[in-house]
Amino acid sequence: MTTPTSAYDQLIGELKEISLLGSTASVLGWDEQTYMPAGGGAQRADQLSLLARLCHERMTSPRFSDLLSKAEEDSAADATAPDQTAASDITVNLRETRRSFSRQSRLPSALVEELAHAGSMAQQAWMQARETDCFADFQPWLEKIIALKRREADHVGSASGDPYDALLDEYEPGMTAAELRRVFDELRGPLVEIVSAVAESGRKAPSTILHRRYPAQAQTALAWQAAQAVGFDFAKGRLDTSTHPFCSMIGPGDTRMTTRYDEHNIGDAFFSVLHETGHGLYDQGLLAEHYGTPCGEYVSLGIHESQSRLWENLVGRGAPFWQWMLPHFRTQFPEQLSDVSDADWMFAINNIEPSLIRTESDEVTYNLHIILRFELEQALLSGELPAADLPGAWSDA
Protein backbone atom coordinates (compact mmCIF):
# COMPACT_ATOMS: atom_id res chain seq x y z
CA MET A 1 0.00 0.00 0.00
CA THR A 2 1.35 3.44 -0.92
CA THR A 3 1.47 6.23 1.63
CA PRO A 4 -0.97 9.05 0.80
CA THR A 5 0.82 12.15 -0.45
CA SER A 6 0.26 15.21 1.73
CA ALA A 7 -1.40 18.33 0.36
CA TYR A 8 1.90 20.16 0.80
CA ASP A 9 3.82 17.61 -1.26
CA GLN A 10 1.18 17.77 -3.98
CA LEU A 11 1.36 21.55 -3.92
CA ILE A 12 5.14 21.44 -4.33
CA GLY A 13 4.67 19.05 -7.25
CA GLU A 14 2.33 21.55 -8.89
CA LEU A 15 4.77 24.41 -8.33
CA LYS A 16 7.65 22.46 -9.84
CA GLU A 17 5.65 21.62 -12.98
CA ILE A 18 4.58 25.25 -13.35
CA SER A 19 8.25 26.23 -13.05
CA LEU A 20 9.14 23.79 -15.82
CA LEU A 21 6.64 25.53 -18.07
CA GLY A 22 8.15 28.85 -17.03
CA SER A 23 11.69 27.66 -17.76
CA THR A 24 10.55 26.59 -21.22
CA ALA A 25 9.39 30.14 -21.79
CA SER A 26 12.78 31.38 -20.52
CA VAL A 27 14.61 29.31 -23.14
CA LEU A 28 12.37 30.75 -25.85
CA GLY A 29 12.90 34.27 -24.52
CA TRP A 30 16.67 33.80 -24.48
CA ASP A 31 16.61 32.45 -28.03
CA GLU A 32 14.43 35.36 -29.14
CA GLN A 33 17.18 37.80 -28.16
CA THR A 34 20.17 35.77 -29.35
CA TYR A 35 19.69 33.39 -32.29
CA MET A 36 16.08 33.55 -33.49
CA PRO A 37 15.72 34.76 -37.09
CA ALA A 38 13.70 37.96 -37.43
CA GLY A 39 11.02 36.10 -39.34
CA GLY A 40 10.16 33.98 -36.32
CA GLY A 41 8.94 36.88 -34.23
CA ALA A 42 5.19 36.43 -34.54
CA GLN A 43 5.44 32.69 -33.90
CA ARG A 44 7.61 33.28 -30.85
CA ALA A 45 5.12 35.76 -29.41
CA ASP A 46 2.38 33.14 -29.84
CA GLN A 47 4.50 30.51 -28.10
CA LEU A 48 5.37 32.74 -25.16
CA SER A 49 1.81 33.98 -24.67
CA LEU A 50 0.47 30.40 -24.70
CA LEU A 51 2.97 29.33 -22.05
CA ALA A 52 2.13 32.38 -19.93
CA ARG A 53 -1.57 31.49 -20.07
CA LEU A 54 -0.92 27.84 -19.22
CA CYS A 55 1.20 28.79 -16.19
CA HIS A 56 -1.42 31.27 -15.01
CA GLU A 57 -4.34 28.87 -15.45
CA ARG A 58 -2.44 26.11 -13.65
CA MET A 59 -1.62 28.34 -10.69
CA THR A 60 -5.08 29.83 -10.32
CA SER A 61 -7.01 26.57 -10.82
CA PRO A 62 -9.46 25.28 -8.17
CA ARG A 63 -7.15 22.30 -7.57
CA PHE A 64 -4.19 24.57 -6.82
CA SER A 65 -6.31 26.74 -4.54
CA ASP A 66 -7.59 23.71 -2.62
CA LEU A 67 -4.12 22.24 -2.22
CA LEU A 68 -2.73 25.54 -0.95
CA SER A 69 -5.54 25.97 1.60
CA LYS A 70 -5.23 22.36 2.83
CA ALA A 71 -1.43 22.64 3.09
CA GLU A 72 -1.80 25.83 5.13
CA GLU A 73 -4.29 24.11 7.45
CA ASP A 74 -2.01 21.09 7.90
CA SER A 75 0.99 23.33 8.60
CA ALA A 76 -0.90 25.31 11.24
CA ALA A 77 -1.99 22.08 12.92
CA ASP A 78 1.56 20.71 12.93
CA ALA A 79 3.40 23.82 14.16
CA THR A 80 5.49 21.80 16.61
CA ALA A 81 7.34 19.76 13.95
CA PRO A 82 10.78 18.75 15.33
CA ASP A 83 12.69 19.51 12.11
CA GLN A 84 12.94 23.28 12.35
CA THR A 85 14.74 23.69 9.01
CA ALA A 86 12.03 21.79 7.16
CA ALA A 87 9.35 23.69 9.07
CA SER A 88 10.96 27.00 8.08
CA ASP A 89 11.09 25.97 4.42
CA ILE A 90 7.43 25.01 4.54
CA THR A 91 6.50 28.32 6.15
CA VAL A 92 8.35 30.32 3.49
CA ASN A 93 6.97 28.27 0.61
CA LEU A 94 3.40 28.56 1.83
CA ARG A 95 3.65 32.27 2.61
CA GLU A 96 5.17 33.20 -0.75
CA THR A 97 2.92 30.82 -2.72
CA ARG A 98 -0.14 32.42 -1.11
CA ARG A 99 1.23 35.82 -2.03
CA SER A 100 1.74 34.80 -5.67
CA PHE A 101 -1.60 33.02 -5.83
CA SER A 102 -3.42 36.08 -4.49
CA ARG A 103 -1.83 38.31 -7.09
CA GLN A 104 -2.32 35.95 -10.01
CA SER A 105 -5.93 35.25 -9.06
CA ARG A 106 -6.78 38.91 -9.60
CA LEU A 107 -5.56 38.80 -13.20
CA PRO A 108 -7.70 37.46 -16.06
CA SER A 109 -5.91 34.79 -18.11
CA ALA A 110 -6.64 36.76 -21.26
CA LEU A 111 -4.73 39.76 -19.88
CA VAL A 112 -1.77 37.58 -18.85
CA GLU A 113 -1.68 36.12 -22.35
CA GLU A 114 -1.94 39.55 -23.98
CA LEU A 115 0.84 40.97 -21.82
CA ALA A 116 3.19 38.14 -22.79
CA HIS A 117 2.36 38.48 -26.48
CA ALA A 118 2.76 42.25 -26.52
CA GLY A 119 5.96 42.04 -24.48
CA SER A 120 7.52 39.70 -27.02
CA MET A 121 6.47 41.78 -30.01
CA ALA A 122 7.61 44.98 -28.27
CA GLN A 123 11.01 43.46 -27.53
CA GLN A 124 11.51 42.68 -31.21
CA ALA A 125 10.29 46.13 -32.27
CA TRP A 126 12.66 47.77 -29.79
CA MET A 127 15.63 45.80 -31.10
CA GLN A 128 14.87 46.97 -34.64
CA ALA A 129 14.15 50.55 -33.59
CA ARG A 130 17.43 50.69 -31.67
CA GLU A 131 19.32 49.52 -34.73
CA THR A 132 17.71 52.12 -36.98
CA ASP A 133 17.50 54.84 -34.30
CA CYS A 134 13.79 55.28 -35.01
CA PHE A 135 11.68 55.69 -31.87
CA ALA A 136 8.51 56.01 -33.97
CA ASP A 137 8.78 52.32 -34.87
CA PHE A 138 8.74 51.35 -31.21
CA GLN A 139 6.23 53.94 -29.97
CA PRO A 140 3.02 51.99 -30.79
CA TRP A 141 4.27 48.99 -28.84
CA LEU A 142 5.31 51.14 -25.91
CA GLU A 143 1.83 52.68 -25.83
CA LYS A 144 0.29 49.22 -25.88
CA ILE A 145 2.48 47.97 -23.05
CA ILE A 146 1.64 51.02 -20.93
CA ALA A 147 -2.08 50.49 -21.50
CA LEU A 148 -1.81 46.82 -20.56
CA LYS A 149 0.20 47.63 -17.45
CA ARG A 150 -2.46 50.10 -16.35
CA ARG A 151 -5.03 47.33 -16.68
CA GLU A 152 -2.80 44.98 -14.69
CA ALA A 153 -2.42 47.57 -11.93
CA ASP A 154 -6.19 48.10 -11.84
CA HIS A 155 -6.79 44.37 -11.37
CA VAL A 156 -4.07 43.85 -8.76
CA GLY A 157 -4.64 47.02 -6.77
CA SER A 158 -2.56 48.36 -3.89
CA ALA A 159 -3.09 49.66 -0.37
CA SER A 160 -2.03 53.13 -1.45
CA GLY A 161 -4.15 53.20 -4.57
CA ASP A 162 -1.03 54.08 -6.58
CA PRO A 163 -0.88 51.90 -9.73
CA TYR A 164 2.92 52.04 -9.62
CA ASP A 165 2.84 50.31 -6.23
CA ALA A 166 0.72 47.51 -7.64
CA LEU A 167 3.33 46.82 -10.33
CA LEU A 168 6.39 47.42 -8.14
CA ASP A 169 5.29 44.94 -5.49
CA GLU A 170 5.76 41.99 -7.85
CA TYR A 171 9.48 42.69 -8.12
CA GLU A 172 10.28 44.33 -4.77
CA PRO A 173 7.80 43.01 -2.19
CA GLY A 174 6.59 45.64 0.23
CA MET A 175 8.29 48.54 -1.53
CA THR A 176 6.26 51.60 -2.51
CA ALA A 177 6.76 54.51 -4.85
CA ALA A 178 6.62 56.88 -1.86
CA GLU A 179 9.51 55.07 -0.17
CA LEU A 180 11.53 55.05 -3.39
CA ARG A 181 10.98 58.78 -3.76
CA ARG A 182 12.31 59.32 -0.24
CA VAL A 183 15.42 57.24 -0.96
CA PHE A 184 16.02 58.85 -4.33
CA ASP A 185 15.50 62.36 -2.97
CA GLU A 186 18.25 61.70 -0.41
CA LEU A 187 20.58 60.35 -3.09
CA ARG A 188 19.97 62.85 -5.85
CA GLY A 189 21.64 65.91 -4.29
CA PRO A 190 24.91 64.21 -3.23
CA LEU A 191 25.17 62.40 -6.58
CA VAL A 192 24.74 65.61 -8.55
CA GLU A 193 27.31 67.29 -6.31
CA ILE A 194 29.83 64.53 -7.03
CA VAL A 195 29.30 64.79 -10.79
CA SER A 196 29.62 68.60 -10.62
CA ALA A 197 32.74 68.43 -8.48
CA VAL A 198 34.40 66.04 -10.92
CA ALA A 199 33.48 68.24 -13.88
CA GLU A 200 34.82 71.36 -12.13
CA SER A 201 38.03 69.72 -10.92
CA GLY A 202 39.74 70.24 -14.25
CA ARG A 203 41.13 66.72 -14.19
CA LYS A 204 40.37 64.70 -17.30
CA ALA A 205 40.55 60.94 -17.37
CA PRO A 206 42.41 59.50 -20.38
CA SER A 207 39.19 57.89 -21.60
CA THR A 208 40.36 57.76 -25.21
CA ILE A 209 42.47 54.72 -24.38
CA LEU A 210 39.23 52.76 -23.92
CA HIS A 211 38.12 53.64 -27.43
CA ARG A 212 41.00 52.29 -29.43
CA ARG A 213 40.27 49.25 -31.56
CA TYR A 214 39.87 46.13 -29.43
CA PRO A 215 38.84 43.10 -31.54
CA ALA A 216 35.68 41.42 -30.25
CA GLN A 217 37.18 37.92 -30.22
CA ALA A 218 39.86 38.95 -27.74
CA GLN A 219 37.29 40.84 -25.67
CA THR A 220 35.24 37.65 -25.44
CA ALA A 221 38.23 35.66 -24.20
CA LEU A 222 38.95 38.21 -21.47
CA ALA A 223 35.32 38.49 -20.38
CA TRP A 224 35.04 34.70 -20.21
CA GLN A 225 38.26 34.51 -18.21
CA ALA A 226 37.13 37.14 -15.70
CA ALA A 227 33.68 35.59 -15.22
CA GLN A 228 35.18 32.17 -14.61
CA ALA A 229 37.81 33.55 -12.23
CA VAL A 230 35.23 35.11 -9.91
CA GLY A 231 33.22 31.91 -9.77
CA PHE A 232 30.85 31.58 -12.73
CA ASP A 233 30.61 27.92 -13.73
CA PHE A 234 30.64 27.65 -17.53
CA ALA A 235 29.80 23.95 -17.28
CA LYS A 236 26.44 25.20 -16.04
CA GLY A 237 26.22 28.42 -18.04
CA ARG A 238 27.21 30.22 -21.20
CA LEU A 239 27.95 33.67 -22.63
CA ASP A 240 26.41 34.87 -25.91
CA THR A 241 25.68 38.17 -27.65
CA SER A 242 22.43 40.15 -27.72
CA THR A 243 21.22 43.68 -28.34
CA HIS A 244 20.98 44.32 -24.60
CA PRO A 245 23.02 42.42 -21.98
CA PHE A 246 21.01 40.15 -19.69
CA CYS A 247 21.21 37.02 -17.56
CA SER A 248 18.56 34.31 -17.64
CA MET A 249 18.31 31.38 -15.25
CA ILE A 250 16.74 28.57 -17.24
CA GLY A 251 16.98 26.19 -14.30
CA PRO A 252 19.51 24.30 -12.17
CA GLY A 253 22.66 23.82 -14.22
CA ASP A 254 21.64 26.28 -16.93
CA THR A 255 22.31 29.99 -16.43
CA ARG A 256 22.82 32.06 -19.57
CA MET A 257 24.47 35.46 -19.84
CA THR A 258 24.73 37.78 -22.82
CA THR A 259 26.62 40.93 -23.69
CA ARG A 260 27.27 43.10 -26.74
CA TYR A 261 30.61 44.08 -28.23
CA ASP A 262 31.83 47.42 -29.45
CA GLU A 263 35.35 47.18 -30.84
CA HIS A 264 35.88 50.86 -30.02
CA ASN A 265 34.62 50.70 -26.44
CA ILE A 266 36.41 48.01 -24.44
CA GLY A 267 34.49 48.82 -21.27
CA ASP A 268 31.03 48.21 -22.75
CA ALA A 269 31.20 44.44 -22.98
CA PHE A 270 33.68 43.78 -20.20
CA PHE A 271 31.84 45.59 -17.42
CA SER A 272 28.51 44.32 -18.71
CA VAL A 273 29.83 40.78 -18.38
CA LEU A 274 30.98 41.45 -14.81
CA HIS A 275 27.53 42.87 -14.12
CA GLU A 276 25.74 39.86 -15.57
CA THR A 277 28.18 37.54 -13.82
CA GLY A 278 26.91 38.97 -10.53
CA HIS A 279 23.40 37.95 -11.54
CA GLY A 280 24.69 34.58 -12.72
CA LEU A 281 26.55 33.85 -9.49
CA TYR A 282 23.39 34.55 -7.52
CA ASP A 283 21.38 32.22 -9.77
CA GLN A 284 24.00 29.48 -9.68
CA GLY A 285 24.10 29.76 -5.88
CA LEU A 286 20.41 28.93 -5.47
CA LEU A 287 19.87 25.42 -4.12
CA ALA A 288 18.84 23.02 -6.90
CA GLU A 289 16.72 20.90 -4.55
CA HIS A 290 14.47 23.90 -3.95
CA TYR A 291 14.03 24.74 -7.64
CA GLY A 292 10.43 25.51 -8.50
CA THR A 293 9.56 26.65 -4.98
CA PRO A 294 9.88 30.08 -3.36
CA CYS A 295 12.87 28.80 -1.33
CA GLY A 296 14.66 28.31 -4.64
CA GLU A 297 13.90 31.78 -6.01
CA TYR A 298 15.69 35.12 -5.60
CA VAL A 299 14.44 37.31 -2.78
CA SER A 300 13.83 40.42 -4.87
CA LEU A 301 15.18 42.17 -7.93
CA GLY A 302 16.81 44.77 -5.68
CA ILE A 303 18.87 42.05 -3.98
CA HIS A 304 19.65 40.51 -7.37
CA GLU A 305 20.83 43.86 -8.71
CA SER A 306 22.98 44.43 -5.65
CA GLN A 307 25.04 41.40 -6.64
CA SER A 308 25.55 42.55 -10.22
CA ARG A 309 26.55 46.04 -9.14
CA LEU A 310 28.91 44.62 -6.51
CA TRP A 311 30.93 42.64 -9.06
CA GLU A 312 30.79 45.32 -11.73
CA ASN A 313 31.90 48.21 -9.52
CA LEU A 314 33.07 47.31 -6.01
CA VAL A 315 35.23 44.51 -7.41
CA GLY A 316 35.52 45.23 -11.12
CA ARG A 317 36.74 48.82 -10.85
CA GLY A 318 39.06 48.23 -7.91
CA ALA A 319 42.87 48.18 -7.95
CA PRO A 320 43.22 44.62 -6.52
CA PHE A 321 41.13 43.19 -9.35
CA TRP A 322 43.16 44.99 -12.01
CA GLN A 323 46.49 44.01 -10.48
CA TRP A 324 45.47 40.54 -11.61
CA MET A 325 43.44 41.38 -14.74
CA LEU A 326 45.45 44.11 -16.45
CA PRO A 327 48.41 41.85 -17.36
CA HIS A 328 45.94 39.63 -19.22
CA PHE A 329 44.65 42.69 -21.08
CA ARG A 330 48.21 43.63 -21.98
CA THR A 331 48.80 40.15 -23.37
CA GLN A 332 45.70 40.33 -25.56
CA PHE A 333 46.19 43.98 -26.60
CA PRO A 334 49.95 44.70 -26.55
CA GLU A 335 49.83 47.49 -29.16
CA GLN A 336 46.70 49.19 -27.85
CA LEU A 337 48.06 49.35 -24.29
CA SER A 338 51.76 49.85 -24.98
CA ASP A 339 51.69 53.50 -23.84
CA VAL A 340 49.13 53.05 -21.06
CA SER A 341 50.29 53.03 -17.44
CA ASP A 342 48.45 51.19 -14.69
CA ALA A 343 47.41 54.55 -13.21
CA ASP A 344 46.06 55.79 -16.55
CA TRP A 345 44.02 52.63 -16.93
CA MET A 346 42.52 52.89 -13.45
CA PHE A 347 41.66 56.55 -14.00
CA ALA A 348 40.02 55.77 -17.35
CA ILE A 349 37.81 52.93 -16.13
CA ASN A 350 36.73 54.96 -13.11
CA ASN A 351 35.90 58.10 -15.07
CA ILE A 352 32.71 59.86 -13.95
CA GLU A 353 30.84 61.51 -16.78
CA PRO A 354 27.16 61.76 -17.80
CA SER A 355 26.15 59.45 -20.65
CA LEU A 356 23.00 58.51 -22.52
CA ILE A 357 23.13 54.74 -22.04
CA ARG A 358 22.63 53.25 -18.58
CA THR A 359 24.61 50.04 -19.17
CA GLU A 360 27.65 52.09 -20.20
CA SER A 361 27.45 54.56 -17.33
CA ASP A 362 29.79 54.83 -14.34
CA GLU A 363 28.96 53.94 -10.76
CA VAL A 364 27.82 57.49 -9.90
CA THR A 365 25.76 58.46 -12.93
CA TYR A 366 24.25 54.94 -13.16
CA ASN A 367 22.19 55.76 -10.09
CA LEU A 368 20.99 59.00 -11.69
CA HIS A 369 19.83 56.92 -14.67
CA ILE A 370 17.73 54.83 -12.28
CA ILE A 371 16.21 57.90 -10.65
CA LEU A 372 15.34 59.39 -14.03
CA ARG A 373 13.85 56.11 -15.23
CA PHE A 374 11.70 55.91 -12.10
CA GLU A 375 10.34 59.40 -12.68
CA LEU A 376 9.64 58.77 -16.38
CA GLU A 377 7.93 55.45 -15.65
CA GLN A 378 5.62 57.10 -13.14
CA ALA A 379 4.77 59.86 -15.59
CA LEU A 380 4.07 57.36 -18.38
CA LEU A 381 1.89 55.17 -16.17
CA SER A 382 -0.13 58.09 -14.84
CA GLY A 383 -0.67 59.53 -18.33
CA GLU A 384 1.09 62.75 -17.41
CA LEU A 385 3.70 61.95 -20.07
CA PRO A 386 2.44 60.62 -23.43
CA ALA A 387 4.70 57.95 -24.93
CA ALA A 388 5.24 60.16 -27.98
CA ASP A 389 6.87 62.79 -25.76
CA LEU A 390 9.26 60.38 -24.05
CA PRO A 391 12.34 61.14 -26.22
CA GLY A 392 11.89 64.85 -25.56
CA ALA A 393 11.48 64.32 -21.83
CA TRP A 394 14.64 62.21 -21.80
CA SER A 395 16.59 64.86 -23.68
CA ASP A 396 15.36 67.64 -21.41
CA ALA A 397 16.44 65.68 -18.33
Side-chain angles (χ1 to χ4, degrees):
M1 178 180 292
T2 59
T3 303
T5 306
S6 70
Y8 177 77
D9 289 338
Q10 293 180 64
L11 178 70
I12 294 301
E14 287 288 311
L15 285 171
K16 287 179 178 284
E17 290 194 0
I18 293 170
S19 290
L20 288 175
L21 287 172
S23 70
T24 302
S26 294
V27 174
L28 293 174
W30 167 84
D31 177 73
E32 178 182 31
Q33 298 188 57
T34 52
Y35 296 107
M36 186 191 78
Q43 172 77 356
R44 184 54 45 86
D46 288 344
Q47 292 169 328
L48 289 171
S49 60
L50 172 61
L51 285 168
R53 176 169 60 81
L54 291 175
C55 287
H56 180 262
E57 290 178 345
R58 186 83 175 261
M59 190 168 194
T60 58
S61 68
R63 168 178 164 73
F64 191 95
S65 177
D66 291 344
L67 285 174
L68 176 56
S69 295
K70 183 63 167 64
E72 289 171 330
E73 293 172 5
D74 293 346
S75 178
D78 192 27
T80 59
D83 188 339
Q84 293 302 308
T85 299
S88 177
D89 291 346
I90 291 171
T91 298
V92 169
N93 284 336
L94 290 177
R95 182 190 69 224
E96 294 306 310
T97 299
R98 171 59 69 181
R99 170 184 160 79
S100 296
F101 173 79
S102 297
R103 181 184 183 87
Q104 292 299 316
S105 295
R106 298 188 184 104
L107 297 173
S109 286
L111 176 58
V112 171
E113 189 170 17
E114 192 174 1
L115 275 164
H117 192 278
S120 178
M121 296 297 290
Q123 172 68 32
Q124 296 165 48
W126 172 80
M127 291 166 63
Q128 180 61 34
R130 186 182 188 279
E131 185 175 339
T132 60
D133 193 23
C134 184
F135 176 78
D137 291 343
F138 176 61
Q139 180 183 324
W141 286 107
L142 177 59
E143 291 171 342
K144 185 175 183 62
I145 293 293
I146 292 170
L148 289 172
K149 283 296 181 180
R150 286 173 182 156
R151 287 170 55 192
E152 178 184 356
D154 286 343
H155 281 288
V156 172
S158 67
S160 66
D162 186 339
Y164 198 91
D165 288 353
L167 301 177
L168 176 64
D169 190 66
E170 181 178 9
Y171 303 101
E172 200 65 30
M175 182 57 68
T176 65
E179 177 63 12
L180 280 180
R181 277 189 223 100
R182 185 191 67 77
V183 172
F184 289 162
D185 285 347
E186 291 181 1
L187 285 174
R188 187 196 315 268
L191 290 173
V192 171
E193 288 178 8
I194 292 173
V195 175
S196 298
V198 170
E200 295 169 2
S201 70
R203 296 187 64 202
K204 297 294 182 182
S207 301
T208 56
I209 63 178
L210 303 177
H211 301 286
R212 296 169 179 177
R213 184 176 180 275
Y214 297 92
Q217 185 175 1
Q219 288 192 49
T220 302
L222 289 166
W224 199 95
Q225 181 181 15
Q228 184 179 49
V230 302
F232 188 81
D233 186 352
F234 278 99
K236 298 179 180 179
R238 55 183 295 129
L239 174 63
D240 296 276
T241 59
S242 63
T243 302
H244 182 82
F246 69 93
C247 180
S248 180
M249 181 188 178
I250 308 301
D254 191 354
T255 299
R256 308 186 185 192
M257 303 186 297
T258 72
T259 191
R260 60 179 177 228
Y261 296 97
D262 180 345
E263 293 199 336
H264 292 281
N265 184 355
I266 184 68
D268 189 3
F270 188 78
F271 288 106
S272 289
V273 170
L274 283 180
H275 182 104
E276 301 309 331
T277 296
H279 287 302
L281 290 174
Y282 189 171
D283 288 339
Q284 289 187 337
L286 296 171
L287 296 178
E289 60 264 32
H290 288 302
Y291 176 72
T293 74
C295 281
E297 296 291 329
Y298 59 84
V299 176
S300 75
L301 282 187
I303 295 298
H304 223 313
E305 193 66 19
S306 75
Q307 301 308 291
S308 61
R309 297 288 285 155
L310 181 151
W311 287 101
E312 178 189 0
N313 289 319
L314 300 186
V315 174
R317 297 185 194 272
F321 177 80
W322 284 102
Q323 287 171 5
W324 166 76
M325 193 74 224
L326 191 53
H328 297 291
F329 267 60
R330 294 190 186 281
T331 298
Q332 289 284 358
F333 305 118
E335 294 182 8
Q336 294 90 332
L337 299 178
S338 61
D339 62 340
V340 178
S341 69
D342 291 5
D344 284 343
W345 180 263
M346 291 304 300
F347 194 3
I349 65 169
N350 284 285
N351 184 37
I352 296 174
E353 185 178 23
S355 63
L356 294 176
I357 301 177
R358 174 182 57 85
T359 57
E360 298 175 10
S361 59
D362 56 77
E363 59 185 311
V364 175
T365 60
Y366 185 104
N367 300 306
L368 293 172
H369 275 268
I370 300 303
I371 295 173
L372 176 57
R373 174 182 291 192
F374 169 69
E375 293 172 345
L376 293 176
E377 284 179 347
Q378 285 195 297
L380 288 167
L381 189 64
S382 69
E384 177 185 343
L385 175 65
D389 295 341
L390 180 59
W394 171 262
S395 298
D396 292 343

Coordinates of all heavy atoms in Angstrom, one line a residue, residues 75-104:
S75 N -0.2 22.7 8.0 CA 1.0 23.3 8.6 C 0.7 24.0 9.9 O 1.4 23.9 10.9 CB 1.6 24.4 7.6 OG 2.7 25.0 8.2
A76 N -0.5 24.7 10.0 CA -0.9 25.3 11.2 C -1.2 24.3 12.3 O -0.9 24.5 13.5 CB -2.1 26.2 11.0
A77 N -1.7 23.1 11.9 CA -2.0 22.1 12.9 C -0.7 21.3 13.4 O -0.8 20.7 14.4 CB -3.0 21.1 12.3
D78 N 0.3 21.4 12.6 CA 1.6 20.7 12.9 C 2.7 21.7 13.2 O 3.8 21.5 12.7 CB 1.9 19.8 11.8 CG 3.0 18.8 12.1 OD1 3.1 18.4 13.3 OD2 3.7 18.3 11.2
A79 N 2.4 22.7 13.9 CA 3.4 23.8 14.2 C 4.6 23.4 15.1 O 5.6 24.1 15.2 CB 2.7 25.0 14.8
T80 N 4.4 22.2 15.7 CA 5.5 21.8 16.6 C 6.4 20.8 16.0 O 7.0 20.0 16.7 CB 4.9 21.2 17.9 OG1 4.0 20.1 17.5 CG2 4.0 22.2 18.6
A81 N 6.5 20.7 14.7 CA 7.3 19.8 14.0 C 8.8 19.9 14.5 O 9.3 21.0 14.6 CB 7.3 20.0 12.4
P82 N 9.4 18.7 14.7 CA 10.8 18.7 15.3 C 11.9 19.3 14.4 O 12.8 19.8 14.8 CB 11.0 17.3 15.7 CG 10.1 16.5 14.8 CD 8.9 17.3 14.6
D83 N 11.7 19.1 13.1 CA 12.7 19.5 12.1 C 12.4 21.0 11.8 O 11.6 21.3 10.9 CB 12.6 18.7 10.8 CG 13.7 18.9 9.9 OD1 14.3 20.0 10.0 OD2 14.0 18.1 9.0
Q84 N 13.2 21.9 12.5 CA 12.9 23.3 12.3 C 13.3 23.8 11.0 O 12.7 24.7 10.5 CB 13.7 24.0 13.4 CG 13.2 23.8 14.8 CD 11.7 24.1 15.0 OE1 11.3 25.2 14.6 NE2 10.9 23.2 15.5
T85 N 14.4 23.2 10.4 CA 14.7 23.7 9.0 C 13.6 23.4 8.0 O 13.3 24.2 7.2 CB 16.0 23.0 8.6 OG1 17.1 23.3 9.5 CG2 16.4 23.4 7.2
A86 N 13.1 22.2 8.1 CA 12.0 21.8 7.2 C 10.8 22.6 7.4 O 10.1 23.1 6.5 CB 11.7 20.3 7.3
A87 N 10.5 22.9 8.7 CA 9.4 23.7 9.1 C 9.5 25.1 8.5 O 8.5 25.7 8.0 CB 9.2 23.7 10.6
S88 N 10.7 25.7 8.6 CA 11.0 27.0 8.1 C 10.8 27.0 6.6 O 10.2 28.0 6.1 CB 12.4 27.4 8.4 OG 12.7 28.7 7.9
D89 N 11.3 26.0 5.9 CA 11.1 26.0 4.4 C 9.6 25.9 4.1 O 9.2 26.6 3.1 CB 11.8 24.7 3.8 CG 13.3 24.8 3.9 OD1 13.8 25.9 4.2 OD2 14.0 23.8 3.8
I90 N 8.9 25.1 4.8 CA 7.4 25.0 4.5 C 6.7 26.3 4.8 O 5.9 26.8 4.0 CB 6.8 23.9 5.4 CG1 7.3 22.5 5.0 CG2 5.3 24.0 5.4 CD1 6.9 21.4 6.0
T91 N 7.1 27.0 5.8 CA 6.5 28.3 6.2 C 6.7 29.3 5.0 O 5.8 30.0 4.6 CB 7.1 28.9 7.5 OG1 6.7 28.0 8.5 CG2 6.5 30.3 7.8
V92 N 8.0 29.4 4.6 CA 8.3 30.3 3.5 C 7.6 30.0 2.2 O 7.0 30.8 1.5 CB 9.9 30.3 3.2 CG1 10.2 31.1 2.0 CG2 10.6 30.9 4.4
N93 N 7.6 28.7 1.9 CA 7.0 28.3 0.6 C 5.5 28.6 0.6 O 4.9 29.0 -0.4 CB 7.2 26.8 0.4 CG 8.6 26.5 -0.1 OD1 9.3 27.4 -0.7 ND2 9.1 25.3 0.1
L94 N 4.8 28.3 1.8 CA 3.4 28.6 1.8 C 3.1 30.1 1.8 O 2.2 30.5 1.1 CB 2.8 27.9 3.1 CG 2.8 26.4 3.1 CD1 2.2 25.9 4.4 CD2 1.9 25.9 1.9
R95 N 3.9 30.8 2.6 CA 3.6 32.3 2.6 C 3.8 32.9 1.2 O 3.0 33.7 0.8 CB 4.6 32.9 3.6 CG 4.4 34.4 3.7 CD 5.6 35.0 4.5 NE 6.8 35.0 3.8 CZ 8.0 34.7 4.3 NH1 8.1 34.3 5.5 NH2 9.1 34.7 3.5
E96 N 4.9 32.6 0.5 CA 5.2 33.2 -0.8 C 4.3 32.6 -1.9 O 3.9 33.4 -2.8 CB 6.6 33.0 -1.1 CG 7.6 33.7 -0.2 CD 7.3 35.2 -0.1 OE1 7.1 35.9 -1.1 OE2 7.2 35.7 1.1
T97 N 3.9 31.4 -1.7 CA 2.9 30.8 -2.7 C 1.6 31.5 -2.6 O 0.9 31.8 -3.6 CB 2.8 29.3 -2.5 OG1 4.1 28.7 -2.8 CG2 1.8 28.7 -3.5
R98 N 1.1 31.7 -1.3 CA -0.1 32.4 -1.1 C -0.1 33.8 -1.7 O -1.0 34.3 -2.3 CB -0.4 32.5 0.4 CG -1.6 33.4 0.8 CD -2.9 32.9 0.1 NE -3.4 31.6 0.6 CZ -4.5 31.0 0.2 NH1 -5.2 31.6 -0.8 NH2 -4.8 29.8 0.7
R99 N 1.0 34.5 -1.5 CA 1.2 35.8 -2.0 C 1.1 35.8 -3.6 O 0.4 36.6 -4.1 CB 2.6 36.3 -1.6 CG 3.1 37.6 -2.2 CD 4.5 37.9 -1.8 NE 5.1 38.9 -2.7 CZ 4.9 40.1 -2.8 NH1 4.1 40.7 -1.9 NH2 5.5 40.9 -3.6
S100 N 1.8 34.9 -4.2 CA 1.7 34.8 -5.7 C 0.4 34.4 -6.2 O -0.2 35.0 -7.1 CB 2.8 33.8 -6.2 OG 4.1 34.2 -5.9
F101 N -0.3 33.5 -5.5 CA -1.6 33.0 -5.8 C -2.6 34.2 -5.7 O -3.4 34.4 -6.6 CB -2.0 31.9 -4.9 CG -3.5 31.4 -5.1 CD1 -3.8 30.6 -6.2 CD2 -4.5 31.9 -4.3 CE1 -5.1 30.3 -6.4 CE2 -5.8 31.5 -4.4 CZ -6.1 30.7 -5.5
S102 N -2.5 35.0 -4.7 CA -3.4 36.1 -4.5 C -3.3 37.1 -5.6 O -4.3 37.6 -6.1 CB -3.2 36.8 -3.1 OG -3.4 35.9 -2.1
R103 N -2.1 37.4 -6.0 CA -1.8 38.3 -7.1 C -2.3 37.8 -8.4 O -3.1 38.4 -9.1 CB -0.3 38.6 -7.2 CG 0.0 39.7 -8.3 CD 1.4 39.9 -8.4 NE 1.7 41.0 -9.4 CZ 1.7 42.3 -9.2 NH1 1.5 42.7 -8.0 NH2 1.8 43.2 -10.2
Q104 N -1.9 36.5 -8.7 CA -2.3 36.0 -10.0 C -3.8 35.8 -10.1 O -4.4 35.9 -11.2 CB -1.6 34.6 -10.2 CG -0.1 34.7 -10.4 CD 0.3 35.5 -11.6 OE1 -0.3 35.3 -12.7 NE2 1.2 36.4 -11.5

